[in-house]
């Protein structure tokens, strides 16, 4: 650690010192203040924009020019969507300044490429943050409040962990979305045993957050994890024992994760909401309605979408248009009744339901920014899958392969299409998505050279 500190002081210029400091504290900022995290990322983006314009840095950024072109294409589609947005005022800030997230990732790539010691700074930063968050979660579990005095939160007849996020249910999402990044860095530096501990403690903490999506993503991560680790049988049995014990001895969590989920999917009957009975669903009724609304918005705005942050406005417009159409047609009650019955049969009782976003990444991209932006994200998702298949097919995987493998897994979890999700264009989720991407750019280049 002293050697890294000496290198930081002696070998870096003023701008790079600012960059390194902001990136080091970034995962901590994500837990305590979205403003601090966004501000630090924006400062990094601004500095990198200045550095890109300097001729001496051209060679560094030329190595990722394909990725820069790809993101620029995606960003162009966002700008086109902004021009045709149904509310330019609402869409302007999240659309126009979206480029800062990629520049933030380029900032991390620049530092990793320029300084050999910076990867260890990344490792120490995220290891330290995870240790603090996990310790705080355990502290909150046993003492009913965290180290800042935030009380454990009542939810559905049970108490759940929120740690530094206090009233927001983000702890599980934070842990699962950054855990692959942590594991990748541990593999890079060959800390073989440490990631077992982080994996187990993170899984238990996620369970007690009562966040079903986070737990589902953790199970997917576990599947990817078991594909490459040694001593798989012992670890699988240990994980199964822990999970089954937690579910068996806690009926409130068992209800949250199993009974309530099965009710929403229509697999078991429920007395409190008959709309779930006799209809097998992929999502809950509410999420299916959001999906139905998003597709309806997309149908009216196939090329450019309705604009970022306009889902609620577009949804209400659809409702108004639907009502006006019914009034103008002046159909008889009998014809209306027949038509409504047909509508219900075809659409599985789906209704137009409005919210700030449709709670699914790909449907949001379609409804907000159109088909071309969707194609960009989908192609990148497919590219990542292909990369991991290639790694799994290698007989002798080295630490660099496994580092890249888990970076890819992190991207797959963040872009997983078959579950409810947060707002894709939201600052917090975008920052978490692009934070590991800087290292991904570097390792992707390194694997091409070494491979």
């Amino acid at each position: 650690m002293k050697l890294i500190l000496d290198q930081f002081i002696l070998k870096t210029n003023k701008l790079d010192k600012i960059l390194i400091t902001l990136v080091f504290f970034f995962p901590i900022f994500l837990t305590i203040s979205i403003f601090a995290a966004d501000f630090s990322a924006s400062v990094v983006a601004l500095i990198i924009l200045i550095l890109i314009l300097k001729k001496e840095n051209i060679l560094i950024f030329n190595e990722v020019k394909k990725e820069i072109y790809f993101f620029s294409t995606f960003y162009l589609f966002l700008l086109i969507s902004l021009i045709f947005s149904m509310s330019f005022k609402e869409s302007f800030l999240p659309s126009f300044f979206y480029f800062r997230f990629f520049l933030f990732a380029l900032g991390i790539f620049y530092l990793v490429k320029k300084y050999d010691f910076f990867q260890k700074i990344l490792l120490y930063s995220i290891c330290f943050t995870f240790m603090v968050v996990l310790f705080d979660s355990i502290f909150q579990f046993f003492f009913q409040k965290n180290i800042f005095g935030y009380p454990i939160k009542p939810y559905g007849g049970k108490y759940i962990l929120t740690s530094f996020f206090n009233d927001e249910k983000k702890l599980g999402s934070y842990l699962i979305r950054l855990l692959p990044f942590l594991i990748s860095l541990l593999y890079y530096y060959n800390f073989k045993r440490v990631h077992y501990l982080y994996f187990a403690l993170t899984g238990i903490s996620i369970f007690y957050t009562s966040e079903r999506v986070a737990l589902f993503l953790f199970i997917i991560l576990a599947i990817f994890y078991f594909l490459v680790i040694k001593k798989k049988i012992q670890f699988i049995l240990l994980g199964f024992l822990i999970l089954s014990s937690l579910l068996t001895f806690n009926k409130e969590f068992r209800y949250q994760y199993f009974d309530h989920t099965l009710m929403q999917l229509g697999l078991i009957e429920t007395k409190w909401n008959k709309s779930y009975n006799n209809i097998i669903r992929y999502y809950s009724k509410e999420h299916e309605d959001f999906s139905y609304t998003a597709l309806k918005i997309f149908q009216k705005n196939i090329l450019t979408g309705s604009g970022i942050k306009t889902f609620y406005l577009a949804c209400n417009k659809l409702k108004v248009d639907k009502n006006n159409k019914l009034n103008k047609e002046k159909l008889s009650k009998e014809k209306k009744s027949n038509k409504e019955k047909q509508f219900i049969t075809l659409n599985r009782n789906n209704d137009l339901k409005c919210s700030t976003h449709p709670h699914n990444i790909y449907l949001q991209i379609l409804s907000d920014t159109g088909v071309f932006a969707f194609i960009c994200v989908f192609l990148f998702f497919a590219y990542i899958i292909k990369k991991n298949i290639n790694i799994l097919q290698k007989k002798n995987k080295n630490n660099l392969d496994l580092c890249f493998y888990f970076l890819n897994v992190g991207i797959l979890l963040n872009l997983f299409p078959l579950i409810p999700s947060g707002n894709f264009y939201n600052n917090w989720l975008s920052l978490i998505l692009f934070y590991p991407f800087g290292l991904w750019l570097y390792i992707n280049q390194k694997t091409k050279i070494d491979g």
Side-chain angles (χ1 to χ4, degrees):
M1 189 67 182
K2 185 179 182 302
L3 178 61
I4 293 176
L5 188 59
D6 290 340
Q7 289 176 313
F8 170 73
I9 294 171
L10 298 174
K11 291 188 177 182
T12 58
N13 57 47
K14 289 182 180 179
L15 278 181
D16 289 353
K17 280 185 173 67
I18 295 172
L19 288 175
I20 292 171
T21 303
L22 290 174
V23 172
F24 178 84
F25 287 105
F26 178 78
I28 301 173
F29 291 153
L30 277 174
T31 66
I32 58 177
S33 170
I34 182 59
F35 172 80
D38 198 8
F39 179 77
S40 63
S42 298
V43 173
V44 170
L46 180 61
I47 294 173
I48 288 302
L49 194 58
I50 295 170
L51 294 175
I52 288 175
L53 298 176
K54 291 185 176 182
K55 292 182 179 180
E56 60 265 28
N57 297 312
I58 288 177
L59 290 177
I60 293 178
F61 295 109
N62 270 346
E63 294 187 15
V64 290
K65 62 182 179 181
K66 289 183 179 179
E67 288 83 357
I68 293 174
Y69 291 150
F70 184 83
F71 176 80
S72 298
T73 302
F74 176 71
Y75 179 62
L76 176 63
F77 293 137
L78 297 192
L79 294 181
I80 294 172
S81 174
L82 171 62
I83 293 170
F84 293 96
S85 173
M86 65 182 300
S87 176
F88 187 88
K89 181 180 178 181
E90 290 290 336
S91 300
F92 178 73
L93 288 177
S95 299
F96 186 80
F97 291 102
Y98 191 81
F99 68 89
R100 73 188 187 277
F101 300 121
F102 185 71
L103 288 178
F104 172 60
L106 277 183
I108 294 175
F109 168 77
Y110 164 81
L111 292 171
V112 171
K113 187 72 179 176
K114 190 173 180 180
Y115 301 107
D116 293 336
F117 64 87
F118 181 71
Q119 284 149 291
K120 281 197 174 181
I121 288 180
L122 276 178
L123 175 63
Y124 293 150
S125 170
I126 195 166
C127 273
F128 171 74
T129 305
F130 256 69
M131 280 192 291
V132 171
V133 172
L134 291 173
F135 170 79
D136 186 70
S137 301
I138 295 169
F139 188 91
Q140 190 179 47
F141 178 81
F142 284 106
F143 297 98
Q144 306 298 298
K145 61 182 179 181
N146 84 329
I147 58 178
F148 285 170
Y150 298 152
I152 195 168
K153 297 296 177 182
Y155 179 81
K158 58 187 176 296
Y159 288 90
I160 62 172
L161 302 179
T162 57
S163 186
F164 299 112
F165 297 98
N166 197 12
D167 293 327
E168 296 181 283
K169 287 185 67 178
K170 284 184 176 180
L171 175 60
S173 179
Y174 175 88
L175 291 172
I176 189 55
R177 294 181 190 281
L178 290 184
L179 179 59
F181 185 38
L182 170 59
I183 294 174
S184 69
L185 285 166
L186 290 171
Y187 265 110
Y188 188 84
Y189 285 104
N190 201 26
F191 294 132
K192 293 182 178 180
R193 296 182 179 180
V194 179
H195 58 78
Y196 292 118
L197 179 63
Y198 276 111
F199 186 87
L201 290 177
T202 300
I204 295 171
S205 296
I206 288 173
F207 180 86
Y208 281 104
T209 66
S210 191
E211 296 176 39
R212 287 183 294 176
V213 170
L215 183 64
F216 181 76
L217 290 177
F218 180 79
I219 293 171
I220 294 175
L221 172 61
I223 294 171
F224 281 106
Y225 194 59
F226 298 146
L227 289 174
V228 295
I229 66 168
K230 297 178 180 179
K231 300 181 180 179
K232 297 176 186 178
I233 296 177
Q234 298 94 314
F235 202 80
I236 290 172
L237 289 175
L238 177 61
F240 178 77
L241 179 63
I242 292 173
L243 185 60
S244 59
S245 299
L246 292 171
L247 291 173
T248 302
F249 295 108
N250 194 314
K251 65 179 182 178
E252 288 83 8
F253 282 96
R254 188 171 66 247
Y255 172 80
Q256 168 72 3
Y257 287 122
F258 282 93
D259 298 343
H260 185 57
T261 301
L262 293 176
M263 287 178 186
Q264 289 185 317
L265 297 179
L267 298 176
I268 59 176
E269 291 190 359
T270 171
K271 296 179 180 179
W272 55 270
N273 194 334
K274 294 184 178 180
S275 66
Y276 287 131
N277 297 337
N278 302 319
I279 299 177
I280 305 300
R281 300 183 181 279
Y282 178 73
Y283 285 146
S284 68
K285 171 69 167 62
E286 183 179 39
H287 285 98
E288 281 194 359
D289 288 343
F290 288 140
S291 300
Y292 170 73
T293 304
L295 290 173
K296 283 294 182 182
I297 295 172
F298 169 65
Q299 287 173 5
K300 290 185 174 294
N301 308 274
I302 292 176
L303 298 179
T304 63
S306 62
I308 296 176
K309 286 190 71 175
T310 63
F311 184 78
Y312 189 83
L313 296 173
C315 175
N316 281 323
K317 187 176 185 302
L318 283 177
K319 284 186 174 183
V320 172
D321 291 345
K322 180 183 175 182
N323 290 333
N324 290 339
K325 185 177 179 181
L326 289 174
N327 291 332
K328 287 179 181 179
E329 288 176 350
K330 295 181 180 180
L331 298 173
S332 66
K333 290 183 178 181
E334 183 178 355
K335 288 183 178 180
K336 283 184 179 180
S337 176
N338 290 335
K339 199 164 187 177
E340 286 170 2
K341 287 178 182 178
Q342 184 183 12
F343 178 84
I344 290 172
T345 303
L346 291 173
N347 295 288
R348 296 163 50 80
N349 291 315
N350 290 134
D351 302 307
L352 293 171
K353 191 173 184 65
C354 302
S355 179
T356 54
H357 60 93
H359 295 80
N360 179 276
I361 285 175
Y362 292 89
L363 291 175
Q364 182 181 5
I365 294 170
L366 283 171
S367 64
D368 282 8
T369 47
V371 67
F372 296 114
F374 169 84
I375 290 172
C376 286
V377 176
F378 181 78
L379 287 176
F380 182 64
F381 184 79
Y383 176 76
I384 296 299
I385 292 176
K386 182 183 177 182
K387 285 283 186 181
N388 263 13
I389 290 174
N390 292 339
I391 294 172
L392 288 172
Q393 289 175 340
K394 291 184 68 172
K395 291 183 179 180
N396 298 314
K397 304 176 187 64
N398 56 37
N399 287 334
L400 186 66
D401 293 327
L402 293 173
C403 171
F404 193 47
Y405 174 82
F406 280 104
L407 284 172
N408 290 333
V409 169
I411 293 172
L412 293 177
L413 294 183
N414 280 315
L415 297 179
F416 196 75
L418 303 179
I419 55 172
S421 68
N423 187 342
F424 180 72
Y425 295 111
N426 172 269
N427 291 357
W428 192 79
L429 195 57
S430 295
L431 289 168
I432 284 184
L433 199 156
F434 280 92
Y435 173 49
F437 192 62
L439 182 63
W440 184 93
L441 290 170
Y442 173 76
I443 300 296
N444 186 38
Q445 295 300 315
K446 195 171 178 61
T447 53
K448 287 179 182 177
I449 296 170
D450 294 349

